[in-house]
């Protein structure tokens, strides 16, 4: 059974007072006798879309009993009424004890007046009886039997409808749209006025009626609809009234007679609106050109729920259609959309109208895009596709790398998927004001400038960032665009696959970028979130717009990619996984899917006996949150593996019943680093064993960390691995060494090992020179250092600083300050030197100051190596004079990657006046773009001087923040995590809990809030347990 059936997400979006009890009250133990609706009659007048409703009166009566989501083929009236009946029977029986404690036995042969308590009980009993009588009388269409309430055939159901803006009842009450009518095509005409920041539009939707209905419901948000006409079949168009229900961002047209299944109809809507001042919908943006003039443009960002802010539409992924777009503009502007331009017409008012070809593919609304700007392109034909990279004119010279990378990746994907990119053109556009890293609009991919533009002298590390984003977005042209998830609960099918493919493609196309190191690091970080009780399953229920926004997180992206890597590594042969992917894309091309469709496709091509059912194996990884902890124990020649849920907040994780189908890989001391050394054992049960010669000294599980699980080796197992590394670092691959470091820190946080074990393992680090183990150790130790710093444990902070410099000092001193070609060495150098200078190591800070002075004196012509820019700007920002110089340079530099590093440097200042200034500047958006505010807050929070200022700033400006960034969005998630993840005291826990509780619908229910509270409690627990150990060992 699929616990995430899409039908279960169609919960009625009722007025708040109707649902708040069901949201917040605990559901009692009630027997539901409504599992088999076949024995009850159906209601012939019921609209097929209405099956999920409950009668008004039964909804009111069941408020405190909890919600019961129904499948579409079940009758809510029946189940609710029977639930009610059974509940009353249970409650009635509970009021009939054999001897009531409330009745006192009178003395024999005596008469006395009843006591006050007896009278109260009697009155209560009469009230209950009267209430039940009224229920039985007023419950519509019910005849009570032994089975509960049996509906009468003749009584129609009255759904609970909300009120529309004009006072009429709105004919729909769910987040998800009804399935009665599907769009076939849209004709969109948009007339943006960039002088007044408004636009008008006309949308013509050609639709097909799938089953009889008296309504059409679609989405619209912040659009002023001035005229609407409707045409059925070949009939004449007539004016219709449009109802609007703003809380659900829905509009509707009601009809007196049924629209019949199979009929075609056309709805035409004329409207006007303001260009959005946030980063979604059809929004305005601006930049300053080389002459200092402000240039205005308009662009779109529709994913996930914002196409409805630009034109009325069926704004759900499964409502695919074709689109024809027309846009008017001034002659000095150009326009772009998903398809090539077909014709340009001069209008009498001096404007131009560009009409684009109708899309040659069916698309979800969130992939539609259009831009009005004065951008400049470079273009090239690649595999019969015209590839273009657009930027503002001043940055055209920074587009060459993107063009070269996109061309190579397009050819790679065409070959890898064995399906050619289906459109005639592919545009990559750098937008000055853009919140996300990029957006995969079909044929018109939009990017932040920092994610697309690279200077000719940029470091390989900067090119790695750009190549990663391009690879991700191009992968979406197949995963997400060609085959799309049916609903946002399966967002990982888009984002997990695109994340996996970005790393897979770059390892082949641009191997010198060492992308594998980055993939390893993001897998570690995904585990940190997924170890929390507030995490969610990869495929999980989504019922509100905020929950849709919150799906864009590391579980959908990095965990999704990680489990795909694990699956690929566990399948025999390199081609097995690819065959399954190709089958999936071919089978569902142009359609919508869910997670089971993917697993079934992979199962169909997997003919090996070792893995007969991919679906059986992988459903355990997508249908439940978290991941397993595998514990290893040895006795003689027998190795026992035991699995349990790695759950940080559980006092006893073994109490949880979660089980995973784990493809455990392992190596041992006889053969440990080459791929052929790897052996596989599938752990499906709580515990299982396999044989191993007693002569084997040690085991290392999870070879190269391709599996999404953590391993505990026990005291003897860890000691053997420590000894092996102390004797010979290269006895394990660098990925395996990094995973040991990650695992030992995770086990310490779980409380399975003391921090003494962490220090013992890290002793080998004085001989470590590879990037991934050093980066993981530095990241973990820096996190601990900042946590102690925020707790003002000054003595421990000083000793932790000495410890880090002692362990890594020799490696830090070996780093050069000259140009370095290797990406891996650049990663290592930047991490080591940022740590050294962050700890004010004298040699590091002197070198950084000298480089900055040379840079300033040369007017920016003396180049700082790209991977060293951040450490140099961080050091400069600690000086008052250099901070001001850096701010001035920030205002004039044109290269975006360098500009962003300057901003991080400015935000790293420990001067409280400057901290306050930079936070406010990020909110205002004049000097510092508001899109960078989450980065500013994150950087400020890393320092001791700024983290409390940032927390106060967030509380004071919360309403302005959620005006800029949607509630639940990745930006808001980042802001909350940055501000709270280093708190570790009860006082801070109370503050955070109190603030977010006060927000109500403005953010109190976000998953990221629960993560924040959980993280603070974990920090508090860890500090209480480990401070004595740290004081002793440091």
């Amino acid at each position: 059974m699929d616990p995430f059936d899409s039908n279960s997400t169609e919960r009625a979006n009722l007025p708040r007072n109707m649902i708040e009890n069901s949201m917040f009250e605990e559901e009692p133990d009630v027997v539901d006798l409504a599992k088999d609706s076949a024995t009850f009659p159906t209601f012939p007048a019921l609209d097929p879309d209405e099956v999920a409703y409950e009668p008004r009166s039964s909804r009111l009566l069941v408020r405190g009993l909890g919600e019961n989501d129904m499948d579409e083929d079940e009758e809510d009236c029946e189940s609710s009424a029977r639930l009610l009946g059974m509940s009353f029977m249970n409650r009635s029986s509970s009021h009939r004890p054999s001897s009531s404690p409330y009745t006192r036995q009178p003395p024999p042969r005596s008469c006395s007046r009843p006591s006050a308590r007896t009278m109260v009980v009697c009155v209560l009993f009469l009230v209950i009886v009267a209430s039940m009588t009224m229920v039985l009388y007023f419950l519509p269409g019910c005849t009570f039997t032994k089975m509960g309430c049996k509906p009468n055939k003749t009584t129609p159901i009255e759904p609970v409808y909300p009120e529309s803006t004009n006072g009429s009842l709105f004919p729909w009450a769910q987040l998800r749209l009804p399935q009665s009518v599907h769009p076939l095509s849209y004709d969109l005409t948009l007339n943006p006025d960039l002088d007044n920041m408004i636009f008008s539009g006309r949308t013509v939707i050609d639709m097909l009626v799938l089953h009889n209905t008296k309504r059409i419901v679609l989405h619209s948000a912040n659009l002023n609809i001035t005229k609407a006409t409707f045409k059925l079949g070949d009939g004449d168009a007539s004016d219709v009234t449009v109802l609007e229900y703003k809380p659900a961002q829905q509009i509707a047209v009601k009809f007196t007679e049924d629209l019949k299944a199979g009929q075609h109809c056309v709805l035409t809507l004329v409207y006007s609106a303001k260009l959005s001042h946030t980063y979604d919908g059809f929004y305005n943006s601006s930049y300053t050109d080389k002459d200092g003039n402000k240039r205005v443009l308009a662009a779109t960002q529709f994913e996930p729920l914002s196409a409805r802010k630009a034109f009325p539409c069926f704004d759900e992924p499964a409502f695919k259609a074709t689109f024809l777009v027309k846009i008017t503009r001034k002659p000095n502007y150009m326009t772009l959309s998903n398809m090539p331009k077909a014709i340009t017409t001069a209008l009498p008012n001096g404007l131009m109208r560009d009409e684009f070809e109708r899309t040659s593919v069916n698309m979800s609304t969130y992939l539609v895009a259009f831009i009005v700007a004065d951008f400049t392109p470079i273009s090239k034909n690649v595999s019969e596709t015209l590839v273009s990279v657009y930027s503002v004119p001043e940055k055209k010279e920074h587009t060459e790398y993107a063009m070269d990378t996109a061309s190579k990746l397009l050819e790679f994907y065409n070959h890898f998927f064995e399906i050619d990119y289906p459109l005639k053109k592919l545009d990559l556009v750098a937008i000055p004001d853009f919140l996300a890293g990029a957006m995969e609009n079909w044929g018109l991919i939009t990017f932040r400038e920092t994610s697309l533009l690279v200077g000719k002298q940029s470091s390989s590390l900067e090119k790695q960032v750009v190549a990663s984003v391009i690879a991700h977005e191009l992968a979406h042209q197949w995963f997400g665009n060609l085959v799309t998830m049916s609903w946002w609960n399966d967002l990982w099918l888009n984002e997990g696959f695109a994340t996996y493919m970005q790393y897979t493609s770059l390892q082949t196309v641009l191997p010198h970028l060492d992308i594998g190191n980055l993939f390893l690091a993001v897998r570690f970080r995904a585990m940190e979130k997924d170890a929390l009780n507030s995490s969610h399953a990869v495929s999980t229920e989504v019922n509100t717009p905020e929950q849709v926004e919150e799906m864009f997180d590391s579980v959908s992206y990095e965990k999704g990619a990680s489990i795909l890597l694990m699956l690929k590594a566990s399948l025999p042969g390199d081609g097995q996984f690819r065959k399954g992917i190709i089958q999936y894309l071919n089978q569902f091309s142009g359609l919508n899917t869910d997670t089971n469709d993917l697993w079934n496709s992979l199962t169909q091509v997997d003919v090996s006996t070792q893995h007969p059912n991919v679906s059986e194996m992988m459903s355990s990884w997508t249908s439940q949150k978290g991941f397993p902890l595998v514990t290893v124990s040895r006795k003689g020649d027998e190795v026992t593996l035991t699995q349990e849920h790695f759950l940080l907040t559980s006092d006893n994780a073994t109490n949880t019943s979660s089980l995973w189908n784990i493809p455990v890989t392992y190596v041992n001391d006889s053969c440990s680093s080459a791929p052929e050394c790897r052996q596989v054992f599938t752990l499906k049960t709580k515990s299982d064993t396999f044989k191993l010669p007693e002569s084997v000294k040690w085991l290392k599980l999870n070879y190269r960390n391709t599996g999404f699980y953590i391993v505990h080796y026990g005291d003897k197992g860890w000691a053997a691995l420590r000894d092996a590394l102390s004797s010979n670092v290269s006895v394990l691959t660098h990925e395996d060494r990094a995973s040991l470091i990650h695992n030992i820190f995770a086990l310490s946080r779980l409380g399975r090992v003391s921090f003494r074990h962490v220090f013992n393992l890290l002793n080998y680090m004085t001989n470590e020179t590879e990037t991934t183990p050093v980066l993981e150790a530095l990241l973990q130790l820096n996190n601990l250092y900042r946590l102690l710093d925020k707790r003002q444990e000054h003595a421990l902070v000083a000793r932790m600083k000495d410890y880090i410099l002692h362990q890594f000092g020799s490696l830090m001193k070996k780093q050069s300050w000259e140009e370095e070609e290797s990406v891996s060495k650049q990663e290592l150098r930047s991490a080591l030197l940022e740590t050294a200078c962050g700890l004010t190591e004298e040699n590091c800070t002197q070198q950084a100051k000298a480089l900055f002075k040379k840079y300033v004196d040369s007017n920016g012509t003396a180049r700082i190596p790209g991977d060293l820019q951040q450490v140099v700007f961080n050091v400069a920002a600690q000086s008052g004079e250099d901070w001001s110089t850096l701010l001035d340079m920030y205002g004039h530099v044109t290269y975006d990657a360098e500009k962003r590093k300057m901003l991080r440097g400015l935000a790293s200042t420990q001067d409280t006046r400057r901290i306050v200034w930079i936070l406010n500047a990020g909110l205002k958006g004049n000097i510092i773009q508001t899109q960078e505010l989450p980065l500013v807050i994150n950087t400020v929070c890393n320092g001791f001087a700024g983290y409390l200022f940032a927390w106060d700033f967030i509380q004071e400006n919360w309403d302005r923040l959620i005006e800029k960034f949607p509630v639940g969005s990745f930006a808001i998630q980042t802001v909350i995590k940055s501000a709270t993840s280093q708190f570790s005291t009860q006082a801070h826990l109370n503050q955070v809990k109190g603030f977010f509780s006060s927000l109500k619908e403005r953010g109190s229910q976000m998953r990221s809030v629960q993560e924040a509270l959980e993280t603070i409690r974990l920090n508090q627990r860890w500090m209480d347990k480990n401070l004595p150990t740290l004081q002793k060992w440091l």
Side-chain angles (χ1 to χ4, degrees):
M1 183 183 89
D2 180 6
F4 305 107
D5 188 284
S6 61
N7 295 330
S8 68
T9 64
E10 299 188 14
R11 174 179 172 179
N13 192 1
L14 298 169
R16 182 172 179 78
N17 65 324
M18 296 289 286
I19 64 170
E20 59 188 0
N21 279 11
S22 66
M23 289 171 62
F24 297 111
E25 291 185 9
E26 183 176 350
E27 187 171 344
D29 293 324
V30 177
V31 179
D32 187 357
L33 301 178
K35 293 298 181 189
D36 182 10
S37 62
T39 58
F40 288 86
T42 56
F43 298 90
L46 192 62
D47 188 312
D49 283 320
E50 212 71 82
V51 295
Y53 288 124
E54 294 175 5
R56 183 189 299 273
S57 50
S58 74
R59 165 74 70 170
L60 288 167
L61 287 162
V62 187
R63 286 174 67 180
L65 300 181
E67 295 285 2
N68 290 279
D69 293 328
M70 294 290 120
D71 290 334
E72 288 189 346
D73 58 351
E74 294 182 282
E75 306 289 77
D76 256 14
C77 165
E78 297 161 2
S79 65
S80 298
R82 276 180 280 166
L83 180 65
L84 245 184
M86 193 62 190
S87 176
F88 285 145
M89 285 187 255
N90 291 344
R91 292 184 182 186
S92 299
S93 64
S94 70
H95 288 298
R96 296 194 301 269
S98 57
S99 65
S100 173
Y102 298 112
T103 55
R104 184 178 296 148
Q105 300 295 328
R109 300 187 199 150
S110 66
C111 274
S112 62
R113 293 179 63 185
S115 68
R117 179 182 291 181
T118 304
M119 292 181 68
V120 169
V121 170
C122 290
V123 170
L124 285 172
F125 179 77
L126 289 172
V127 169
I128 291 170
V129 171
S131 300
M132 290 181 65
T133 304
M134 292 176 68
V135 168
L136 296 173
Y137 182 80
F138 288 111
L139 198 65
C142 279
T143 302
F144 265 91
T145 68
K146 290 181 180 180
M147 296 298 292
C149 169
K150 184 175 182 179
N152 298 327
K153 293 182 182 180
T154 56
T155 307
I157 294 175
E158 181 191 358
V160 182
Y161 289 135
E163 196 173 276
S164 58
T165 50
N166 70 356
S168 304
L169 283 181
F170 191 79
W172 193 244
Q174 298 187 55
L175 171 70
R176 303 282 295 275
L177 296 179
Q179 300 291 315
S180 319
V181 179
H182 271 239
L184 300 175
S185 66
Y186 293 80
D187 282 14
L188 308 177
T189 302
L190 296 129
N191 309 297
D193 178 353
L194 300 186
D195 295 329
N196 297 302
M197 297 299 170
I198 57 175
F199 69 99
S200 61
R202 180 174 180 268
T203 297
V204 181
I205 313 175
D206 186 11
M207 298 166 288
L208 176 65
V209 182
L210 296 187
H211 56 69
N212 296 1
T213 184
K214 285 188 171 71
R215 63 178 166 228
I216 296 173
V217 184
L218 61 159
H219 290 108
S220 173
N222 306 325
L223 304 178
N224 177 31
I225 297 172
T226 53
K227 183 177 176 61
T229 62
F230 178 77
K231 184 166 83 78
L232 184 62
D234 296 326
D236 295 330
S238 58
D239 290 347
V240 289
T241 300
V242 176
L243 303 176
E244 182 175 18
Y245 181 51
K246 289 187 175 181
Q249 300 182 335
Q250 292 173 352
I251 57 173
V253 178
K254 292 199 289 190
F255 303 94
T256 55
E257 296 183 3
D258 271 346
L259 304 176
K260 303 293 185 184
Q263 288 183 317
H264 282 259
C265 53
V266 178
L267 180 64
T268 302
L269 299 158
V270 180
Y271 60 96
S272 61
K274 294 179 181 178
L275 286 170
S276 171
H277 293 290
T278 57
Y279 296 100
D280 60 351
F282 193 16
Y283 72 94
N284 72 80
S285 177
S286 63
Y287 70 95
T288 304
D289 66 19
K290 61 176 185 256
D291 300 320
N293 302 313
K294 182 181 178 182
R295 307 301 298 266
V296 180
L297 60 107
T300 59
Q301 170 59 40
F302 290 161
E303 189 179 34
L305 307 173
S306 294
R308 64 193 70 175
K309 297 180 180 179
F311 58 95
C313 57
F314 295 79
D315 199 11
E316 292 181 9
F319 287 96
K320 289 189 171 186
T322 61
F323 295 83
L324 188 148
V325 177
K326 304 171 190 172
I327 308 177
T328 58
R329 60 174 172 85
K330 287 183 176 180
N332 58 328
Y333 279 88
M334 48 81 71
T335 62
L336 295 169
S337 189
N338 304 83
M339 294 294 287
K341 194 180 298 179
I343 188 172
T344 298
T345 307
L347 302 178
N349 58 5
L351 298 178
M352 313 296 286
R353 174 177 291 153
D354 294 331
E355 180 175 331
F356 297 87
E357 296 177 18
R358 181 174 295 282
T359 57
S360 55
V361 288
N362 282 323
M363 286 170 38
S364 302
T365 47
Y366 77 87
L367 294 170
V368 177
F370 32 85
I371 295 169
V372 183
D374 59 346
F375 293 158
T376 303
I378 62 170
S379 300
K380 175 182 177 182
N381 272 300
V382 180
S383 302
E384 299 183 15
T385 300
L386 181 64
V387 179
S388 302
V389 182
Y390 287 83
S391 69
V392 299
E394 290 82 0
K395 298 177 181 178
K396 183 178 179 180
E397 65 188 55
H398 296 161
T399 58
E400 289 287 349
Y401 182 76
M403 170 61 78
D404 183 55
T405 302
S407 300
K408 291 175 180 176
L409 286 165
L410 181 61
E411 290 179 327
F412 170 83
Y413 286 135
N414 280 339
H415 170 73
F416 186 86
F417 297 133
E418 296 182 5
I419 300 172
D420 286 344
Y421 173 76
L423 303 186
K424 296 177 183 177
K425 61 101 172 172
L426 176 63
D427 297 337
L428 294 82
V429 186
I431 296 178
D433 242 0
F434 196 75
L435 183 60
M439 175 61 209
E440 67 267 19
N441 315 299
W442 216 343
L444 181 60
I445 307 175
T446 46
F447 296 79
R448 267 192 187 210
E449 289 184 325
T450 50
S451 300
L452 188 67
L453 305 181
V454 175
K456 287 176 180 169
Q457 292 185 314
S458 299
S459 70
S460 298
L461 206 50
E462 291 164 334
K463 291 176 180 175
Q464 184 197 67
V465 171
V466 169
S468 294
V469 179
I470 294 174
H472 183 98
E473 303 310 325
L474 258 64
H476 270 310
Q477 307 303 299
W478 287 263
F479 282 99
N481 299 10
L482 188 67
V483 180
T484 313
M485 78 269 148
S486 294
W487 180 240
W488 301 106
N489 63 312
D490 276 326
L491 176 66
W492 87 276
L493 289 173
N494 283 19
E495 299 300 349
F497 250 112
T499 304
Y500 172 79
M501 287 308 304
Q502 86 183 54
Y503 296 113
T504 299
S505 62
L506 289 178
Q507 283 172 333
T508 301
V509 175
L510 298 170
H512 65 279
L513 293 180
D514 285 337
I515 201 70
N517 291 353
L518 182 58
F519 194 13
L520 180 64
V522 299
R523 299 203 297 276
F524 290 151
R525 304 292 77 79
M527 282 184 153
E528 290 171 6
K529 177 188 174 85
D530 206 30
L532 300 176
N533 198 37
S534 49
S535 184
H536 62 89
V538 170
S539 178
T540 192
E541 190 172 336
V542 175
N543 287 321
T544 68
E546 292 76 19
Q547 288 172 354
V548 171
E549 292 280 358
E550 286 195 304
M551 288 301 290
F552 291 81
D553 65 1
S554 63
V555 173
S556 295
Y557 284 70
E558 284 81 17
K559 183 181 179 181
S562 300
I563 63 174
L564 290 171
L565 173 69
M566 179 174 63
L567 172 61
K568 194 256 183 189
S570 71
L571 291 174
D574 290 338
Q576 197 75 44
F577 183 69
R578 182 183 167 204
K579 285 178 188 173
I581 289 175
I582 293 169
Q583 160 119 348
Y584 171 76
L585 290 173
N586 278 306
Q587 184 176 352
F588 298 104
S589 177
L591 303 176
N592 296 83
T593 61
D594 60 28
T595 296
N596 282 337
D597 294 322
L598 172 64
W599 299 147
N600 290 338
S601 290
L602 286 161
T603 300
Q604 288 166 21
V605 300
D606 187 3
V607 294
S608 73
T609 55
Q610 187 180 0
H611 292 285
N613 195 324
V614 172
S615 182
E616 178 188 317
M617 171 187 166
M618 294 307 294
S619 61
S620 67
W621 294 93
T622 54
S623 63
Q624 60 186 346
K625 68 183 175 186
F627 56 88
L629 166 63
V630 176
T631 301
V632 187
S633 62
R634 293 181 65 185
K635 188 173 183 181
D637 65 348
E638 192 170 82
V639 177
T640 302
L641 303 183
T642 306
Q643 66 162 300
E644 61 190 274
H645 188 172
F646 188 97
L647 190 61
L648 287 173
T649 50
S650 175
D651 292 329
N652 188 356
T654 56
N655 289 337
T656 65
S657 58
S658 304
L659 283 177
W660 285 263
N661 192 320
I662 313 170
V664 176
T665 56
Y666 63 94
V667 293
N668 61 54
D669 61 303
S670 64
C671 183
S672 58
S673 57
E676 56 270 20
C677 298
R678 186 193 76 144
Q679 299 182 67
V680 182
F681 177 81
T682 303
L683 180 62
K684 297 181 181 180
T685 54
K686 178 76 175 172
S687 185
D688 207 346
T689 61
F690 63 89
K691 298 291 184 180
L692 194 71
E694 287 190 55
S695 58
V696 169
K697 296 177 183 176
W698 52 261
L699 272 176
K700 165 64 177 72
L701 271 62
N702 200 1
Y703 176 67
R704 300 185 72 178
N705 206 75
T706 55
F708 201 72
Y709 55 92
I710 280 174
V711 184
H712 185 20
Y713 298 94
D715 289 350
K716 290 183 180 178
W718 280 110
L721 286 164
R722 281 198 308 269
D723 292 343
L725 288 174
S726 298
S727 302
N728 178 13
V729 169
S730 59
V731 72
L732 292 173
T733 66
H734 67 91
E735 296 98 336
D736 282 318
R737 303 197 301 271
S739 81
L740 287 177
I741 293 166
H742 171 265
N743 285 194
I744 198 77
F745 273 98
L747 289 166
S748 165
R749 195 155 171 79
L750 183 65
R752 291 299 175 91
V753 301
S754 75
F755 211 73
R756 177 172 55 85
H757 285 82
V758 177
F759 285 132
N760 287 341
L761 179 65
L762 293 184
N763 283 337
Y764 101 89
M765 293 296 296
T766 50
N767 298 319
E768 182 63 81
T769 57
E770 286 286 344
T771 301
T772 49
V774 173
L775 259 58
E776 184 60 25
L778 284 175
L779 182 140
Q780 298 286 356
L781 291 170
N782 277 321
N783 286 343
L784 179 55
Y785 176 87
R786 284 192 288 266
L787 208 54
L788 292 168
D789 195 29
K790 304 301 192 300
R791 278 282 285 248
Q792 300 187 53
E793 296 283 348
H794 301 302
L796 273 179
V797 167
R799 279 182 265 168
M800 178 61 79
K801 171 184 171 179
D802 291 342
Y803 174 79
I804 295 171
L805 293 177
H806 170 75
Q807 287 292 97
F808 301 96
S810 62
L811 199 54
M812 290 170 175
K813 289 172 185 174
K814 290 177 185 176
Q815 303 307 306
S816 79
W817 292 76
E818 306 295 329
E819 291 287 353
E820 171 60 65
E821 286 302 313
S822 163
V823 173
S824 185
K825 288 181 180 177
Q826 286 180 20
E827 289 175 315
L828 178 65
R829 177 169 74 171
S830 62
L832 284 166
L833 294 181
E834 279 185 50
T835 298
C837 284
L839 297 175
T840 62
E841 197 273 328
E842 189 175 355
N843 181 57
C844 183
T845 55
Q846 285 179 352
Q847 292 271 19
K849 287 175 182 177
L851 258 184
F852 185 71
K853 185 177 186 306
K854 184 179 177 183
Y855 180 70
V856 172
D857 291 346
S858 70
N859 251 347
T861 56
R863 177 172 161 71
I864 303 172
D867 62 302
L868 296 180
Q869 287 174 353
Q870 192 61 71
V871 66
V872 169
F873 296 150
N874 287 355
V875 170
Q878 308 316 310
S879 152
E881 183 181 343
D882 287 346
W883 190 92
S884 300
T885 303
L886 191 61
L887 178 61
D888 183 60
M889 295 170 76
Y890 174 81
H892 294 95
V893 71
T894 57
Y895 179 44
D896 298 285
E898 187 174 12
K899 191 181 184 84
R900 206 160 196 244
K901 289 171 193 168
M902 288 180 176
L903 179 59
R904 283 186 62 193
L906 291 167
S908 72
T909 179
Q910 297 302 290
D911 184 308
T912 53
R913 291 180 303 107
R914 292 191 169 100
I915 288 169
V916 172
W917 180 89
I918 202 166
L919 288 168
N920 287 317
L923 188 61
K924 289 176 184 173
N926 295 330
I927 299 172
I928 297 168
Q929 292 174 306
T930 302
Q931 69 180 22
E932 300 290 11
L933 185 55
L935 175 72
V936 169
I937 290 173
N938 179 261
T939 308
V940 166
C941 288
N942 281 336
F944 178 78
Y947 83 111
L948 293 179
F949 281 101
W951 172 232
D952 287 344
F953 170 84
I954 289 164
Q955 294 175 85
E956 291 168 12
N957 296 285
W958 181 256
D959 287 338
R960 292 180 67 186
L961 286 171
I962 60 174
E963 280 176 18
K964 305 283 186 183
F965 315 117
V967 172
S969 65
F970 188 74
I972 289 294
Q973 293 176 47
T974 301
V975 165
I976 294 171
K977 182 177 180 180
S978 300
T980 61
S981 63
Q982 294 170 73
F983 290 159
S984 61
T985 65
Q986 188 63 41
H988 280 141
L989 178 63
N990 294 340
Q991 274 186 32
V992 174
K993 190 187 297 183
F995 170 69
F996 284 110
S997 297
S998 71
L999 295 179
K1000 307 298 185 203
E1001 71 280 357
R1002 289 160 33 244
S1004 64
Q1005 297 302 307
M1006 287 186 294
R1007 186 185 292 118
S1008 46
V1009 172
Q1010 306 312 312
E1011 288 173 13
L1013 296 173
E1014 190 175 355
T1015 300
I1016 297 169
R1017 291 188 188 101
L1018 287 167
N1019 290 345
Q1020 193 178 0
R1021 184 185 79 181
W1022 192 92
M1023 282 290 178
D1024 291 345
K1025 184 171 182 178
N1026 288 286
L1027 278 179
T1029 303
L1030 287 171
Q1031 286 161 350
K1032 177 182 177 182
W1033 279 81
L1034 287 174

